[in-house]
Amino acid sequence: MNRRELTGLGISTPLLGFGTMRLPQDENKVIDQAHVQKMVDLAMEKGVNYFDTAYPYHEGKSEVSVGLALQKYPRDSYLLVDKLPMWEVKEKADMERIFNTQLERCQTDYFDIYLLHSMDASSFAKAVEFGAYDFVRQKQREGKVRFVGFSFHDAPDVLQHIVDTYTWDIAQIQLNYIDWEMQHADLQYQILTDAGIPIIVMEPVRGGFLANLPDAALAPLQEARPDKSAASWALRWVAGHENVKVILSGMGSVEMMADNIDTLGDFVPLDGAEQAALKRAVAALEAIHAVPCTGCRYCMDCPFGVDIPRIFAIYNDYKKHQNQFICKTSYLKDTPPEHRADQCKRCGKCMDHCPQHIRIPDQLAEIHQEILAMP
């Protein structure tokens, strides 16, 4: 696996990292631990020894699954990353409790990288209020954290404020060829690069959307490289940025991991013709108006029962394939009435946690009306 040096930290990381927010599950939504073990074993065999988990992933089961799968390997043979969820912190003591719970779940004595999770303007203000930065630096002095950083979901000016407020070892941002301009990822990349902060990338395929492109967007890519998957284009584009040190992929199968390893194991940047093909694909995508949801489920659980990620997934699939029958069936027949968009009471709780800053109640109302109006 291609590796990159983390500027100023004295360690190298694999270009591909194993994101564990979307682990394989059985029909009952239980993590398939045997499959996870096969994936971890393949990752370690191929040098993909960077594992990213978090307190809320799979309702706390991701940390447990990752910790269990890594027990057969020496602790110094892999890099383990976890995050402090400020939305769970009600008092300062909660940070210690959460941190110790994470160590226990992961069956480890320390984290190689520990991040303040999903920072935006409000969550960073809360982190400052509770002294979260000092807390994680203290854990570093205790030998329980090696490097300190944050993951980020907000506007560039907020990122600049966070960078200016403290000294950071590393930062994690959402970056892909759609969000480069749409979500100002280009400015975020430049802010961190100018500050000398190495970048970890999340959502390189935008929650799977860039791995399952609509036909109009896929066509120019297949014409240029019929032997390569849509996901490989997204990964190679991200890897072409020098200050990107790790690209996290929320891999859900051995096959997906094998394809990603093939793409980044011997990384080759996009050439001129491929860049041109990608621009044509982006133009086709921009003509499709869909919801920028990545399926992270931070908006859940809705207090009124609305299955927000499912509704957005149904709608986005419709926008890609324009199949009204499947859309109506998925929404009006396969989605229980109590989980549909018209149950939304506009309380706004979901928007407080949405990394994409989607105006969820408005989107739900529009989707509901559009589907009902389908012939």
Side-chain angles (χ1 to χ4, degrees), residues 53-362:
T53 187
Y55 192 74
Y57 293 174
H58 287 279
E59 300 180 341
K61 299 300 191 297
S62 170
E63 291 171 327
V64 175
S65 176
V66 171
L68 183 61
L70 288 171
Q71 284 307 293
K72 63 191 290 187
Y73 297 99
R75 181 61 186 85
D76 61 357
S77 66
Y78 59 86
L79 300 169
L80 183 59
V81 183
D82 213 326
K83 312 176 187 76
L84 178 61
M86 289 308 301
W87 63 87
E88 295 284 353
V89 176
K90 311 304 179 187
E91 56 185 14
K92 283 191 173 183
D94 288 338
M95 294 189 291
E96 184 75 32
R97 174 184 57 80
I98 290 169
F99 185 81
N100 290 334
T101 297
Q102 292 174 306
L103 289 177
E104 182 180 353
R105 286 176 177 175
C106 293
Q107 300 186 54
T108 188
D109 296 324
Y110 69 94
F111 295 113
D112 294 279
I113 297 172
Y114 196 68
L115 309 175
L116 301 187
H117 196 176
S118 194
M119 289 291 99
D120 57 17
S122 61
S123 61
F124 183 65
K126 184 176 182 181
V128 172
E129 177 188 355
F130 281 87
Y133 179 85
D134 293 335
F135 171 78
V136 293
R137 285 297 185 190
Q138 177 59 37
K139 292 304 174 186
Q140 185 181 44
R141 289 189 288 272
E142 294 172 5
K144 296 180 179 180
V145 169
R146 294 178 65 196
F147 304 106
V148 171
F150 63 95
S151 63
F152 179 77
H153 292 281
D154 209 327
D157 62 321
V158 178
L159 177 61
Q160 187 68 65
H161 173 62
I162 294 174
V163 168
D164 291 343
T165 302
Y166 298 119
T167 299
W168 304 95
D169 301 325
I170 201 163
Q172 184 168 306
I173 62 172
Q174 179 171 319
L175 192 153
N176 53 66
Y177 63 76
I178 288 293
D179 290 328
W180 186 246
E181 295 182 359
M182 185 183 298
Q183 296 284 347
H184 304 297
D186 55 346
L187 299 179
Q188 296 180 31
Y189 176 87
Q190 198 60 49
I191 288 169
L192 294 172
T193 301
D194 289 346
I197 300 173
I199 295 172
I200 309 301
V201 168
M202 56 185 160
E203 302 293 356
V205 294
R206 221 171 192 274
F209 176 70
L210 300 181
N212 297 281
L213 295 170
D215 292 342
L218 184 60
L221 305 185
Q222 288 186 326
E223 181 181 350
R225 290 295 303 270
D227 58 321
K228 296 298 181 180
S229 67
S232 73
W233 283 83
L235 294 178
R236 288 176 64 206
W237 183 89
V238 173
H241 297 80
E242 184 179 357
N243 194 32
V244 169
K245 307 303 181 181
V246 180
I247 302 172
L248 295 175
S249 177
M251 296 174 279
S253 69
V254 169
E255 293 75 20
M256 187 184 302
M257 176 174 284
D259 182 59
N260 290 346
I261 289 172
D262 179 66
T263 299
L264 297 178
D266 188 17
F267 168 64
V268 178
L270 297 174
D271 61 25
E274 289 172 323
Q275 291 280 7
L278 192 61
K279 285 184 179 180
R280 294 195 296 274
V282 170
L285 284 174
E286 288 176 344
I288 301 172
H289 300 289
V291 183
C293 173
T294 65
C296 70
R297 300 189 67 82
Y298 288 1
C299 58
M300 297 296 282
D301 285 332
C302 168
F304 301 102
V306 181
D307 192 339
I308 301 167
R310 174 178 171 79
I311 293 168
F312 287 166
I314 290 171
Y315 187 71
N316 283 342
D317 184 73
Y318 162 65
K319 283 297 183 179
K320 286 186 288 184
H321 304 292
Q322 295 295 311
N323 191 314
Q324 291 184 341
F325 175 78
I326 291 178
C327 181
K328 289 177 63 178
T329 299
S330 297
Y331 183 68
L332 297 176
K333 292 186 177 180
D334 297 340
T335 303
E338 62 269 23
H339 298 323
R340 293 179 196 159
D342 58 340
Q343 298 303 304
C344 172
K345 307 301 180 187
R346 293 184 170 271
C347 70
K349 179 182 176 182
C350 51
M351 290 195 297
D352 292 339
H353 300 292
C354 178
Q356 313 304 322
H357 304 287
I358 300 168
R359 298 193 62 80
I360 295 175
D362 291 342

Side-chain angles (χ1 to χ4, degrees), residues 37-47 254 257-258 261:
Q37 189 67 62
K38 290 179 181 178
M39 296 177 70
V40 168
D41 291 343
L42 176 61
M44 291 296 289
E45 176 188 344
K46 299 298 184 179
V254 169
M257 176 174 284
I261 289 172

